[in-house]
Amino acid sequence: MSDWQPINGPLAAERQGRHGAPRVVFVHGFTQTANSWKPIAQQFADRGLEVVVVDLPGHGGSAGVRADLRRTADMIASVGGRGTYVGYSLGGRVCLHLALMYPHLVQSLVLLGAHPGIDDADERSLRRAADDALAEHLLDIGVDAFLSEWTALPLFGGFQLTDADRADRLRNTAEGLADSLRMAGTGEQLPLWPRLVELNMPVLALAGAHDAKFAAIAQQIATAVPTGRWALIPDAAHAAHLQHPVAVVDAIVTAIPAIPA
């Protein structure tokens, strides 16, 4: 298998696998980078697919890029093209925007731990203030200390970063992550719940079995879209693709329209 090859575009991105084969685009979550998806993406490249991984604005090789969710969806679409889109958390929210903006590009959509947005305007305002405060805190303490606090949140169910994971996330800058929170945080996102009915592609909503909040949201997404399914990843919390990658691969396989024999 050849090495990962860079893709020219507005965001740092790489591809792997057979050019012209069905494509799967993987989009990471907050504080992560494209590398967080590579072990899973590689398995799909080994199955004869073409895979693409992208660094979101404020992260990794795109640390100097600033964009809100809609502009980020524009940029992901330009490097991802037509295929199955798989997004985790922040990446899932980006992929939701992309699927609504460019439905002709999205053959199927896989959302892991993704939130379509906060309906209540007052709650959304409170979350926006909390995201702003978290961004200031991140700038005060730096990325290393912030990663320790972030991954210790109950949301992640005791997940521990490996030394390699931490080193990769330390490529992020405090300024880039803070601006990601301010520009693309859940508090800044307008709710997409009323628009889920517009999604005209198969949608698979996933969540970790120990992530009760997002398990309920996954079920609600699957019910709201015309062609939706949902599934839980066993023995995993929010970052299920890192905690139980084999089960996540098995779930994604069911969502890809055509896998070469």
Side-chain angles (χ1 to χ4, degrees):
M1 180 62 66
S2 61
D3 292 334
W4 287 87
Q5 301 169 350
I7 300 173
N8 292 327
L11 296 173
E14 296 174 278
R15 61 164 299 276
Q16 172 72 284
R18 184 163 63 85
H19 184 69
R23 176 178 290 181
V24 189
V25 183
F26 295 88
V27 189
H28 65 81
F30 180 64
T31 80
Q32 299 179 3
T33 74
N35 289 339
S36 65
W37 273 118
K38 279 186 177 179
I40 285 177
Q42 182 67 60
Q43 295 192 45
F44 288 93
D46 292 343
R47 295 175 187 229
L49 300 173
E50 183 178 27
V51 296
V52 173
V53 295
V54 186
D55 282 334
L56 287 171
H59 294 75
S62 304
V65 180
R66 301 292 183 266
D68 62 11
L69 289 165
R70 288 182 59 84
R71 177 58 184 143
T72 300
D74 278 332
M75 292 189 284
I76 297 288
S78 73
V79 297
R82 180 166 169 78
T84 293
Y85 279 78
V86 181
Y88 161 66
S89 198
L90 167 60
R93 295 190 290 112
V94 171
C95 287
L96 263 178
H97 281 78
L98 191 154
L100 288 165
M101 294 163 62
Y102 303 104
H104 61 287
L105 294 181
V106 183
Q107 293 175 291
S108 62
L109 179 64
V110 181
L111 304 171
L112 172 59
H115 199 317
I118 301 170
D119 275 323
D120 184 83
D122 290 337
E123 290 183 21
R124 195 163 61 250
S125 179
L126 288 173
R127 177 58 185 266
R128 187 182 305 113
D131 287 345
D132 287 344
L134 189 62
E136 288 301 320
H137 178 64
L138 195 166
L139 291 170
D140 287 341
I141 67 172
V143 175
D144 195 8
F146 183 81
L147 286 175
S148 296
E149 293 183 357
W150 181 253
T151 55
L153 292 173
L155 178 71
F156 297 106
F159 171 71
Q160 297 289 322
L161 288 175
T162 67
D163 290 344
D165 290 336
R166 178 177 287 272
D168 183 58
R169 296 193 196 201
L170 285 173
R171 297 190 298 120
N172 296 325
T173 66
E175 294 78 11
L177 294 180
D179 282 339
S180 176
L181 277 170
R182 293 184 179 117
M183 300 181 72
T186 304
E188 189 63 27
Q189 175 182 336
L190 293 177
L192 298 179
W193 288 105
R195 298 194 60 196
L196 294 183
V197 69
E198 300 173 30
L199 295 173
N200 61 0
M201 71 290 295
V203 177
L204 173 60
L206 302 174
H210 302 318
D211 187 3
K213 174 182 175 180
F214 282 90
I217 289 172
Q219 184 176 12
Q220 291 166 357
I221 291 171
T223 301
V225 302
T227 308
R229 295 184 296 122
W230 70 288
L232 298 181
I233 305 301
D235 303 317
H238 193 59
H241 62 310
L242 303 180
Q243 293 177 295
H244 203 333
V246 172
V248 172
V249 168
D250 289 343
I252 296 171
V253 164
T254 70
I256 298 174
I259 296 181

